[in-house]
Amino acid sequence: MQTKTTSKEELSFNDFKAEIINDYKLAVTSRECSLLGRREVLTGKAKFGIFGDGKEIPQLALAKAFKNGDFRSGYYRDQTFMMAIGALDIESFFAGLYGNTNLEQEPMSGGRQMGGHFATQSLDQNGNWKNLTAQKNSSADISPTAGQMPRLLGLAQASKIYRNVDGIDTTNFSEKGNEVAWGTIGNASTSEGLFFETINAAGVLQVPMVMSVWDDEYGISVHARHQTTKENISDILRGFQRDENAKGYEILNVKGWDYPALMETYQKASEIARTEHVPVLIHVNELTQPQGHSTSGSHERYKNEERLSWEREFDCNVKFREFLLANNFATEEELDAIDKDIKKQVRDGKKAAWSNFLNPILSEKASVLNILKSVSNNSENKVFIDKLINTLETSKEPNRKDILSTARQVLRYVAKENLSEKVQLKNWINAYFEEVQPKYSSDLYNDSDSKASTIKEVLPQFDTNAEDVDGRVVIRENFDAIFNKYPEALIFGEDAGAIGDVNQGLEGLQEKYGELRVADAGIREATILGQGIGMAMRGLRPIAEIQYLDYILYALQIISDDLATLRYRTKGRQKAPLIIRTRGHRLEGIWHSGSQMGGIINLVRGVHVLVPRNMTKAAGFYNTLLESDEPAIVVECLNGYRLKEKMPTNSGEYKTPLGVVETIKEGTDITLVSYGSTLRIIYEAAKQLLEVGINAEIIDVQSLLPFDINHNIVKSVAKTNRLMVIDEDVSGGASAFILDKILNTQNAYKHLDSKPLTLTAKEHRPAYGTDGDYFSKPSIEDVFEAVYKVFNEVNPTEFPALR
């Protein structure tokens, strides 16, 4: 069942009547799904439920204005909309509630997100783009409130780029930039900073975005008077209203139960945004939430009887029914018959979804029970095994945990027994893991042959008399080559445009490629990231610049919750190959020398984290990433833009491989591992260590995620038998991550003759000035003395204690 986008004028009365009745059926179907869904949670078949009841009619209006090629960026109340565009049916609704891992039956996320989190599939099963202009699109939801807002900005901006930048192949992605990005949010979540940041940015950029605020006066139990000044979001945003003197928003208000007004409002919003590229805010008020926020509690706890009575009267479905009767579109009897039929459809769909979910698990249960019984019949621990078998056998609705847990416990009982059946059980368990684990763990990164880590290194080439230039020139010339090679590539950030970034790594490129491709952005890191995510989801290749690594924390939630999980939470059916450019390491002061790498790498799994030691290596990473389709953060060395490097002749072509370490100094006595600017200090210390007879090997990890995929560091440790990780992050940060990978993944502990060590920064940020860095982060002397101390313990006669 799906809405039609034809207007009333284009329809005969009978067609118009049929369309309205179809809308009623959709509204009732969605409501019945919500009601029955709550019962499924309360009876234990589903873990949690959050539903769209009370928002049905405005979502029908939104769906009618929503066209092929458009994108939604919403939240977990939009089930009616998804049904209306044909992307969700009864069975898939319940499949999502049960967490069915079958992507065909649960196409939103393959069971990876709770019900109510919606998406369409932008990629086919091979990871190739579908024709997004031939389908209605929904970017994958996330739960954090207002977290959908930054991405919405980028989805809208993509239309502006496609309309105004020549040379881009728009096939599959855009029809002359006519697509609208539609956002939805609850009224309470408009209190979040991400909402205001996005609203402001969209007004500045003038992008085709329509923002719907579903206003039911509450945020869980908290009334609007605690959420919003004046208890009215559109009132306080009136200053954004466009007029003849200034660009801004078109702001519209409509009651959420008024079917004709909703239809008119959404068609108007669509026309303004689509043709004029003007953002629109629609404040949909007087909505209800008949079952409260979620299945975690009842709204009767915080709403008085007067409010509950009003909600029963102004329920949008109730008012829609009244509208149909008052205008003779249907009789009571006809609507009652529709209601009765839909109740049965929903019950039947629910049963079918439960069977689809349960039957494969029952089959898996049966297969292991046969093996377990065979093991039991031949085991001296039969009495204990039979208890486990009986518990599993009598479970009518087991989950996979029950099945696998039972099998693994039985294996313990026969661990010391020489049974052929034990081998069969071990093989079953291993095969089960191999089959089932990917249902829950695949697609964090690109698992296909096109993944970034398969792209081979291409070395930079140099003339025999290659000029020594500032590192900024190397990176600038490479960006120039990138923008010339990839029309769909663009870069934006604070000071990235007119002045060519604060370090002039983009000098002159805005003048050459235009203000849309090399663009300045306001001081708003979260929405800079959102611009990148949304545009990357629509086929562009954005590079979002965060001026300093310290400021990436403003956007860390968006990177962690949205970008890093996108491929995973859609089971490989959406992607956003965004490149995040930033700079950090070893400068002066608290706010321009941060090295929060430990926090970053542990929060952004799903995004590559690359830490080149110079601008040639950084440029090579950009070239590699643009040949792949995975998101990454590239941290350039902040103190490297004025350091001299040889100028390559093959800008835009040389490639730094991901996950491949580089030995930058051979040695025999100890392996020193680090990255970024600290390597220059280590190299100087290593030269001084040679003077006292210690020959250190230095390895640049180059990328933290992925990390040393060829396990080359352990080969070095096998040679030197000693290991030290040196890092400008705080103790327990990136150094702990690196050490864990070397010792526990690569098993380097087998080769060690001395305790593995880390040398890190102090717990505090660096104080201002050159001395601040010296007393805050590892210095040449710190490295020298730390390594020397290792050899003092080995041979105190040859290496007497220094202090």
Side-chain angles (χ1 to χ4, degrees), residues 5 62-71 85 132-133 135-137 178-180 182 267 270-271 274:
T5 56
L62 190 163
K64 287 185 184 299
F66 198 94
K67 295 184 178 181
N68 283 352
D70 286 0
F71 262 86
I85 66 169
L132 304 185
T133 68
Q135 64 181 42
K136 294 178 170 66
N137 304 287
N178 292 329
E179 303 78 22
V180 173
W182 301 80
Q267 292 298 328
S270 175
E271 180 66 17
R274 203 176 301 280

Side-chain angles (χ1 to χ4, degrees), residues 171-311:
T171 306
N172 294 338
F173 301 115
S174 182
E175 294 287 347
K176 300 179 181 179
N178 292 329
E179 303 78 22
V180 173
W182 301 80
T184 66
I185 196 169
N187 58 293
S189 295
T190 63
S191 301
E192 294 275 14
L194 292 176
F195 173 83
F196 283 95
E197 187 173 319
T198 303
I199 290 294
N200 179 62
V204 170
L205 292 171
Q206 289 292 286
V207 291
M209 180 182 101
V210 180
M211 185 68 232
S212 296
V213 179
W214 309 141
D215 191 346
D216 57 26
E217 288 195 16
Y218 286 85
I220 308 183
S221 67
V222 179
H223 190 268
R225 65 179 176 273
H226 302 296
Q227 307 275 5
T228 309
T229 303
K230 299 183 179 181
E231 300 181 29
N232 191 310
I233 189 63
S234 57
D235 271 4
I236 65 173
L237 292 177
R238 285 294 168 197
F240 286 84
Q241 175 65 52
R242 62 177 179 160
D243 55 36
E244 62 275 9
N245 298 315
K247 295 178 179 179
Y249 274 74
E250 189 65 30
I251 299 178
L252 307 173
N253 282 267
V254 64
K255 299 186 188 311
W257 48 262
D258 190 338
Y259 179 85
L262 284 162
M263 298 298 163
E264 181 180 352
T265 299
Y266 274 89
Q267 292 298 328
K268 179 180 179 181
S270 175
E271 180 66 17
I272 292 171
R274 203 176 301 280
T275 60
E276 301 179 50
H277 274 199
V278 168
V280 182
L281 176 80
I282 305 178
H283 185 187
V284 185
N285 51 37
E286 294 194 16
L287 284 170
T288 68
Q289 201 154 277
Q291 297 186 116
H293 174 75
S294 70
T295 54
S296 295
S298 170
H299 63 153
E300 283 86 356
R301 293 168 55 199
Y302 51 85
K303 293 176 183 175
N304 60 31
E305 182 52 42
E306 181 182 3
R307 173 67 190 189
L308 292 170
S309 176
W310 181 89
E311 289 198 5

Side-chain angles (χ1 to χ4, degrees), residues 138-163:
S138 174
S139 59
D141 292 340
I142 59 175
S143 282
T145 55
Q148 72 273 28
M149 292 294 298
R151 178 198 335 134
L152 172 66
L153 177 66
L155 292 169
Q157 189 182 5
S159 290
K160 184 171 184 176
I161 299 297
Y162 280 126
R163 180 174 287 185

Side-chain angles (χ1 to χ4, degrees), residues 722-786:
R722 293 178 178 86
L723 170 67
M724 183 179 294
V725 178
I726 303 164
D727 184 20
E728 61 172 299
D729 199 1
V730 297
S731 60
S735 60
F737 168 81
I738 294 170
L739 196 62
D740 174 70
K741 291 291 186 182
I742 299 171
L743 296 182
N744 294 324
T745 301
Q746 301 186 16
N747 294 322
Y749 67 90
K750 297 177 181 179
H751 306 291
L752 291 173
D753 291 338
S754 298
K755 182 177 74 171
L757 297 171
T758 61
L759 177 62
T760 66
K762 298 294 189 291
E763 301 293 323
H764 54 78
R765 301 280 186 95
Y768 178 68
T770 304
D771 284 344
D773 180 87
Y774 187 86
F775 288 99
S776 303
K777 294 185 176 183
S779 64
I780 295 172
E781 289 73 29
D782 290 333
V783 176
F784 181 98
E785 291 178 5

Side-chain angles (χ1 to χ4, degrees), residues 332-566:
E332 287 272 11
E333 293 75 15
E334 289 170 335
L335 297 182
D336 287 343
I338 290 171
D339 293 352
K340 182 178 180 181
D341 180 60
I342 287 175
K343 283 179 183 290
K344 183 179 185 304
Q345 290 180 37
V346 173
R347 286 196 302 271
D348 291 345
K350 183 266 296 183
K351 291 177 183 177
W354 180 247
S355 294
N356 290 336
F357 170 73
L358 187 61
N359 286 341
I361 299 176
L362 292 175
S363 177
E364 293 160 15
K365 168 188 159 181
S367 71
V368 77
L369 278 172
N370 290 331
I371 297 172
L372 295 179
K373 289 176 181 178
S374 180
V375 170
S376 176
N377 289 336
N378 294 279
S379 173
E380 59 190 40
N381 289 305
K382 176 177 173 59
V383 63
F384 302 106
I385 294 172
D386 282 349
K387 288 182 180 179
L388 293 169
I389 291 174
N390 184 63
T391 300
L392 179 60
E393 193 167 31
T394 56
S395 175
K396 295 181 179 179
E397 297 175 349
N399 55 40
R400 291 188 167 105
K401 171 193 170 186
D402 300 329
I403 295 169
L404 191 53
S405 176
T406 301
R408 296 169 82 180
Q409 290 180 69
V410 169
L411 189 61
R412 297 178 202 165
Y413 281 114
V414 296
K416 296 181 180 180
E417 298 180 23
N418 187 21
L419 302 174
S420 61
E421 292 82 4
K422 180 178 74 172
V423 176
Q424 188 182 8
L425 178 58
K426 286 169 60 176
N427 290 340
W428 185 93
I429 291 172
N430 291 336
Y432 194 68
F433 264 118
E434 188 174 344
E435 177 189 355
V436 172
Q437 189 70 54
K439 296 178 187 294
Y440 303 92
S441 300
S442 69
D443 296 295
L444 179 61
Y445 298 94
N446 181 358
D447 294 330
S448 74
D449 293 339
S450 65
K451 60 185 177 183
S453 57
T454 65
I455 296 174
K456 301 300 183 184
E457 181 176 21
V458 176
L459 293 172
Q461 298 174 6
F462 304 96
D463 288 337
T464 53
N465 57 346
E467 182 185 1
D468 285 326
V469 298
D470 288 347
R472 70 174 187 85
V473 176
V474 173
I475 202 81
R476 182 195 68 195
E477 293 305 298
N478 195 74
F479 277 129
D480 189 7
I482 283 173
F483 296 136
N484 185 60
K485 182 177 181 180
Y486 298 100
E488 66 275 20
L490 60 155
I491 192 167
F492 47 91
E494 298 158 14
D495 300 305
I499 69 169
D501 87 39
V502 290
N503 297 288
Q504 295 182 289
L506 299 169
E507 181 186 24
L509 297 186
Q510 184 182 81
E511 184 178 356
K512 185 172 183 178
Y513 294 102
E515 293 185 7
L516 289 176
R517 293 191 65 196
V518 182
D520 285 308
I523 301 176
R524 45 174 182 79
E525 286 79 7
T527 46
I528 289 173
L529 261 294
Q531 287 176 250
I533 295 170
M535 286 194 283
M537 293 183 75
R538 292 191 57 192
L540 296 169
R541 295 309 308 266
I543 302 170
E545 180 167 317
I546 302 299
Q547 195 164 93
Y548 299 111
L549 180 65
D550 307 74
Y551 303 157
I552 209 169
L553 300 184
Y554 280 104
L556 192 53
Q557 185 263 326
I558 296 302
I559 302 171
S560 178
D561 290 336
D562 198 354
L563 180 63
T565 68
L566 178 62

